[in-house]
């Protein structure tokens, strides 16, 4: 079970992630979800296998967990029948608990999830014609207090573990019925311990997936991923590993509010696409709506974007810009945004996000005409600035909103829903 202690709200220092060693669950078994291949093999050695057997079993089990989505050792058909109970006595392959699963009229799906130690977090799946995007959370709550963001009103409870982060992708694949099927031919050729970071999208070895509903991942759920760097990196490595979930790094985007010191490391150690929650172009406004700006100012942030190792014209940085009425939506703001992007020579595109109001929010969304004009000014300068269509509003599918809606329901009702869900899953 993970540590439930409340994290410190950062003052002048950034929070440091303390690596957690593996804590056995209440029943003494160890959850393998979120562990890399080598760590699984080490645990097998610790449980009594010799090194060679542990390596082989580690490789097999890893493959079943991440590539095939299997949660029951009994279904690991290339592992000797006598070995399977030995594994099941010592280990489990978990998933975050599903507390609520909602389906919007527009196809958006949203899940409220619960960690082993009872903390709630969310993930959202947004399908459109070209792709299916899963919006993944990195923390329960957030230390930053962006004024327009509902998650920002919650305190940070704790970082999600790699298992809880990768577990979201795995749950989505479970729900969408998307695990590869087919024969295991060729699996034996894969070398052990090899962290494959190939960019090849579609090579799934000898397998075929049932569909390709989930094609993209965005780290844009609850929390600031760069304040949970190690766990986000370790989880995304499992997602990108060719022998794991095998999703290309080109299809993964990490969104940050601007944790400047971690941006280079994100590029070097994770290497996914970068999105930056800019939302304002002057110090005054950004200090107000994205308070981390008081610590890492606009110039520093834009310079870090210019230095981001993976950015290029083919892989542009996305600037997210939430449209707030009379706050950041003037023609001058749009022109200043263009000037800044050009000044720093950034390969960039801009995503204009209509503000999604929540009870108690002090802002309003800009009028549609205003958003359109803002977008035109940016487009006229040669920079792409599409207006994002709000999705899943009927199910509160915006950052941090489902959790709050659920809190209003009361404990008993939620527990009942969770029980029903478990029963439905068998
Ligand atoms: N902490 C990271 C990632 C999570 S927030 C970050 O800030 O980038 C993901 C995105 O959702 C951010 O761009 C954020 O600005 C946006 N967002 C948050 N609340 C919103 C709201 N009420 N309406 C529209 N967009 C919102
Ligand atoms: Fe945290 Fe991102 Fe919300 Fe800001 S916008 S409070 S950084 S989740």
């Amino acid at each position: 079970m993970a540590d439930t202690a409340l994290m410190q709200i950062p003052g002048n220092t950034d929070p440091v992630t303390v690596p957690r060693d593996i804590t056995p669950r209440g029943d003494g078994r160890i959850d393998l979800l979120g562990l890399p291949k080598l760590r699984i093999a080490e645990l097998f050695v610790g449980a009594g296998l010799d090194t060679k057997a542990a390596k082989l079993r580690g490789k097999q089990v890893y493959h079943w967990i991440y590539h095939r989505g299997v949660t029951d050792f009994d279904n690991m058909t290339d592992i000797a029948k006598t070995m399977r109970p030995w594994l099941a006595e010592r280990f489990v392959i978990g998933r975050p608990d599903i507390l609520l699963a909602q389906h919007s009229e527009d196809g958006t799906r949203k899940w409220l999830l619960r960690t082993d130690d009872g903390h709630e977090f969310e993930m959202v799946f947004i399908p459109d014609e070209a792709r299916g995007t899963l919006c993944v959370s990195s923390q329960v709550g957030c230390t930053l207090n962006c004024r327009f963001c509902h998650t920002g009103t919650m305190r940070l409870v704790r970082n999600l573990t790699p298992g809880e982060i990768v577990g979201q992708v795995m749950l989505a694949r479970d729900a969408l019925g998307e695990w590869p099927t087919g024969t295991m031919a060729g699996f034996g050729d894969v070398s052990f311990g090899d962290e494959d970071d190939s960019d090849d999208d579609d090579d799934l070895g000898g397998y075929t997936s049932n569909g390709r509903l989930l094609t993209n991942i965005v780290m844009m759920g609850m929390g600031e991923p760069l304040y949970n760097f190690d766990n986000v990196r370790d989880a995304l490595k499992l997602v990108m590993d060719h022998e794991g979930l095998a999703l290309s790094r080109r299809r993964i985007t990490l969104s940050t509010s601007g944790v400047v010191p971690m941006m280079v490391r994100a590029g070097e150690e994770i290497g996914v696409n970068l999105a930056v929650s800019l939302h304002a172009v002057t110090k005054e406004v950004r200090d107000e709506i994205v308070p981390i700006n008081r610590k890492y100012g606009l110039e520093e942030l834009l310079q870090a974007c210019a230095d981001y190792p993976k950015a290029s014209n083919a892989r542009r940085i996305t600037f997210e810009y939430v449209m707030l009425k009379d706050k950041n939506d003037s023609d001058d703001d749009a022109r200043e945004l263009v000037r800044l992007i050009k000044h720093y020579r950034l390969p960039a595109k801009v995503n204009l996000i209509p503000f999604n109001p929540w009870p108690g929010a002090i802002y309003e969304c800009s009028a549609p005409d205003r958003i359109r004009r803002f977008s035109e000014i940016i487009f006229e300068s040669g920079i792409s600035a599409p207006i994002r269509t709000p999705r899943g509003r009927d199910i509160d599918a915006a950052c941090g909103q489902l959790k709050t809606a659920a809190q209003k329901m009361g404990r008993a009702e939620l527990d009942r829903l969770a029980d029903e869900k478990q029963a439905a899953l068998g």
Side-chain angles (χ1 to χ4, degrees):
M1 192 183 282
D3 183 359
T4 56
L6 281 186
M7 299 193 59
Q8 294 298 311
I9 305 297
N12 291 326
T13 48
D14 290 326
V16 182
T17 27
V18 183
R20 262 178 259 270
D21 202 20
I22 291 149
T23 318
R25 302 168 353 132
D27 62 8
R29 294 186 296 172
I30 291 170
D31 191 348
L32 297 179
L33 184 69
L35 300 183
K37 204 182 301 166
L38 280 169
R39 192 72 186 100
I40 294 174
E42 279 169 19
L43 286 171
F44 290 176
V45 170
L49 293 187
D50 68 50
T51 315
K52 197 159 163 255
K55 265 191 168 186
L56 173 67
R57 296 303 176 207
K59 179 170 110 173
Q60 289 172 313
V61 168
Y62 179 90
H63 174 88
W64 283 110
I65 296 177
Y66 297 110
H67 206 82
R68 308 281 287 217
V70 165
T71 51
D72 185 345
F73 293 106
D74 248 353
N75 294 334
M76 301 187 177
T77 49
D78 62 343
I79 293 178
K81 276 208 172 107
T82 48
M83 179 81 197
R84 294 180 214 163
W86 183 89
L87 286 166
E89 272 164 33
R90 291 162 179 80
F91 304 101
V92 290
I93 301 155
R95 292 283 190 272
D97 278 342
I98 300 175
L99 216 50
L100 265 183
Q102 291 186 306
H103 218 129
S104 162
E105 288 158 6
D106 66 12
T108 303
R109 297 172 72 161
K110 178 146 184 167
W111 291 265
L112 180 66
L113 307 175
R114 185 164 58 184
T115 63
D116 265 3
D117 53 344
H119 300 303
E120 288 150 26
F121 62 106
E122 308 169 356
M123 69 173 188
V124 182
F125 178 69
I126 307 159
D128 64 28
E129 310 84 53
R131 61 178 74 86
T133 304
L134 186 71
C135 181
V136 171
S137 291
S138 56
Q139 300 182 308
V140 181
C142 189
T143 43
L144 302 169
N145 299 102
C146 302
R147 294 284 286 278
F148 55 85
C149 171
H150 201 246
T151 305
T153 64
M154 303 170 192
R155 60 185 181 180
L156 176 67
V157 176
R158 70 164 169 84
N159 286 332
L160 292 175
T161 63
E164 289 157 352
I165 297 168
V166 76
Q168 296 172 61
V169 184
M170 305 188 67
L171 263 184
R173 279 217 172 153
D174 294 345
L176 300 168
E178 286 218 295
W179 290 103
T181 54
T183 70
M184 292 194 66
F187 167 53
D189 303 336
V190 181
S191 64
F192 182 79
D194 176 25
E195 288 280 11
D196 190 343
D197 64 359
S198 157
D199 275 338
D200 185 353
D201 271 354
D202 294 312
D203 179 10
L204 278 170
Y207 312 107
T208 51
S209 142
N210 292 335
R212 278 304 171 87
L213 292 171
L214 198 174
T215 58
N216 291 58
I217 290 179
V218 291
M219 295 301 305
M220 286 188 193
M222 293 170 72
E224 167 50 58
L226 295 188
Y227 275 150
N228 185 15
F229 184 84
D230 291 358
N231 292 354
V232 167
R233 176 199 55 209
D234 293 352
L236 290 181
K237 287 212 153 145
L238 298 167
V239 174
M240 293 187 285
D241 183 4
H242 229 47
E243 294 172 45
L245 283 148
L247 216 92
S248 162
R249 63 178 60 211
R250 292 172 192 281
R251 293 182 174 276
I252 303 174
T253 300
L254 184 148
S255 175
T256 180
S257 55
V259 185
V260 168
M262 300 308 287
M263 285 168 61
V264 171
R265 277 189 70 193
E268 283 170 355
E269 295 178 38
I270 311 177
V272 295
N273 303 320
L274 181 69
V276 172
S277 292
L278 196 65
H279 305 314
V281 290
T282 63
K283 175 172 166 45
E284 193 201 349
V285 177
R286 198 161 192 271
D287 275 358
E288 176 189 325
I289 66 178
V290 188
I292 196 180
N293 196 64
R294 296 176 204 158
K295 194 162 174 185
Y296 308 115
L298 270 168
E299 290 80 20
E300 252 183 288
L301 174 59
L302 294 168
Q303 189 55 49
C305 291
D307 297 339
Y308 188 70
K310 298 285 167 182
S312 68
N313 270 328
R315 295 182 68 192
R316 287 174 291 168
I317 293 172
T318 305
F319 287 113
E320 291 155 276
Y321 201 98
V322 63
M323 298 301 296
L324 304 174
K325 187 176 177 188
D326 299 332
K327 183 49 71 181
N328 63 358
D329 62 352
S330 70
D331 288 0
D332 281 349
D333 288 321
R335 284 191 278 268
E336 178 62 4
L337 179 54
V338 169
R339 191 191 69 78
L340 288 171
I341 289 172
K342 297 211 160 161
H343 179 77
Y344 286 89
R345 298 169 188 276
L346 299 172
K349 58 186 170 192
V350 178
N351 264 347
L352 300 177
I353 313 167
F355 170 61
N356 195 1
W358 37 272
I362 55 171
Y363 302 112
E364 280 176 64
C365 184
S366 311
D369 281 357
R370 183 88 295 273
I371 303 181
R372 227 168 293 131
R373 183 66 200 126
F374 197 94
S375 167
E376 274 165 18
I377 294 173
I378 302 171
F379 264 116
E380 280 159 14
S381 76
I383 298 165
S384 159
I387 302 164
R388 291 286 154 216
T389 332
R391 299 290 303 269
R393 286 213 166 166
D394 53 327
I395 55 166
D396 294 322
C399 195
Q401 294 192 13
L402 182 69
K403 178 168 170 168
T404 311
Q407 275 162 354
K408 289 195 200 118
M409 276 185 201
R411 192 74 279 147
E413 192 175 355
L414 278 175
D415 285 343
R416 182 184 56 73
L417 283 165
D419 288 347
E420 279 174 14
K421 195 79 221 162
Q422 281 315 118
L425 288 171

